[in-house]
């Protein structure tokens, strides 16, 4: 029940295309859903996050879509760029805790 | 402004030894969390400290311990190192628990 399932494991997208990464969770107590971007040898960097009171949040080229009834959320990267090539992790946590449950990661490669 | 700083960045130990990893949170942040990231996997929660008190513990053996100091910096200690402890150890800070987590670059531990 504590798991966050992430797919796909890897993703190859052409420059200018849309990258879509999906996550699903079971624990209905989760109420915070961040996405992190991690480059090799670096720590994860917070990209965008959403709480379940909204169904979508957009920041620049990055959009989170959230489906509370299906217990799923996804990251959309519009106009993907080679600089977006990294590993992306979804995560979830419950109120008033810093215990993030991470997905298994998606390695994104954007080719020119 | 300085982000979360961790030391050392890399270290090599042998089985059975002890290691201490250090973390300085972002100025003003009172909550510090520790995560272990094995190569190719998402980070796994080890501990959370807030106002010098342990507020959460993940599924790790008692060989792992941590503490938070009055200046909110933190140490993670691992005793009797095993080969399987080889990982990137990440420290994250937040203003208070349940808020956005900001990760450091990590300490890469190799156990031989």
């Amino acid at each position: 029940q504590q798991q966050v399932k992430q797919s796909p494991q890897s993703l190859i997208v052409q420059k200018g295309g849309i990258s879509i990464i999906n996550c699903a969770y079971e624990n209905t107590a989760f109420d915070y859903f961040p996405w992190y971007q991690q480059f090799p040898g670096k720590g994860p960097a917070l990209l965008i996050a959403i709480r379940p009171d909204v169904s979508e949040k957009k920041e620049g080229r990055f959009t989170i879509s959230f489906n509370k009834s299906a217990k799923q959320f996804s990251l959309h990267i519009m106009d993907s760029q080679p600089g977006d090539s990294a590993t992306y992790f979804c995560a979830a946590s419950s109120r008033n805790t810093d215990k993030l449950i991470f997905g298994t990661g998606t390695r994104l490669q954007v080719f020119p | 402004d300085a982000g979360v700083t961790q030391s050392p960045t890399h270290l090599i130990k042998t089985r059975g030894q002890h290691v201490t990893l250090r973390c300085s949170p972002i100025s003003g942040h009172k909550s510090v969390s520790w995560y272990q990231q094995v190569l190719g996997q998402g980070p796994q929660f080890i501990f959370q400290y807030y106002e010098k008190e342990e507020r959460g513990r993940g599924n790790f053996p008692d060989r792992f311990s941590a503490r938070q100091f009055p200046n909110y910096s933190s140490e993670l200690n691992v005793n009797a190192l095993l080969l399987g402890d080889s990982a990137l150890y990440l420290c994250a800070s937040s203003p208070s628990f349940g808020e956005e987590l900001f990760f450091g670059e990590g300490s890469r531990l190799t156990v031989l």
Side-chain angles (χ1 to χ4, degrees):
Chain A
Q1 195 181 23
Q2 286 292 317
Q3 285 186 326
V4 175
K5 295 182 180 179
Q6 183 172 347
S7 63
Q9 189 174 18
S10 63
L11 183 61
I12 299 174
V13 173
Q14 205 161 15
K15 179 182 175 181
I18 302 174
S19 303
I20 302 175
I21 305 170
N22 301 298
C23 284
Y25 64 98
E26 290 293 325
N27 189 345
T28 55
F30 288 154
D31 67 348
Y32 176 66
F33 304 90
W35 285 89
Y36 283 84
Q37 179 189 57
Q38 187 175 30
F39 293 103
K42 301 292 185 181
L46 180 64
L47 201 57
I48 186 172
I50 197 168
R51 294 196 183 271
D53 52 343
V54 295
S55 60
E56 187 175 281
K57 183 175 181 179
K58 183 177 180 179
E59 290 183 1
R61 296 185 294 109
F62 302 94
T63 300
I64 298 179
S65 297
F66 184 80
N67 187 329
K68 188 174 181 178
S69 61
K71 290 184 284 187
Q72 295 176 347
F73 58 110
S74 61
L75 175 69
H76 295 232
I77 305 174
M78 311 299 287
D79 187 25
S80 299
Q81 299 296 313
D84 296 331
S85 297
T87 299
Y88 292 80
F89 292 96
C90 63
S93 69
S94 304
R95 189 172 299 277
N96 294 332
T97 177
D98 286 349
K99 181 180 179 180
L100 283 173
I101 307 299
F102 281 85
T104 49
T106 296
R107 185 184 176 197
L108 171 65
Q109 295 174 276
V110 181
F111 285 95
Chain B
D1 287 342
V4 176
T5 57
Q6 294 187 242
S7 64
T9 54
H10 296 82
L11 68 166
I12 299 173
K13 294 284 188 178
T14 56
R15 283 178 296 175
Q17 284 191 312
H18 163 90
V19 68
T20 298
L21 308 177
R22 295 178 175 82
C23 171
S24 293
I26 293 171
S27 178
H29 286 195
K30 298 181 179 180
S31 178
V32 170
S33 300
W34 288 94
Y35 287 77
Q36 180 196 64
Q37 186 175 25
V38 175
L39 195 63
Q41 297 182 20
Q44 286 205 329
F45 174 79
I46 309 175
F47 287 110
Q48 180 197 358
Y49 277 79
Y50 179 72
E51 292 284 11
K52 294 168 289 180
E53 290 189 8
E54 182 182 303
R55 296 300 182 111
R57 172 186 285 257
N59 188 24
F60 281 81
D62 292 342
R63 300 184 294 108
F64 289 76
S65 63
R67 55 179 176 168
Q68 186 178 33
F69 299 100
N71 66 352
Y72 302 111
S73 67
S74 178
E75 281 182 357
L76 175 70
N77 295 283
V78 186
N79 293 323
L81 286 166
L82 303 174
L83 296 179
D85 295 331
S86 296
L88 181 68
Y89 288 86
L90 296 162
C91 175
S93 76
S94 62
S96 178
F97 48 86
E99 298 187 41
E100 293 182 7
L101 274 185
F102 296 88
F103 283 86
E105 300 288 84
S107 294
R108 171 73 61 186
L109 171 66
T110 301
V111 182
L112 301 177

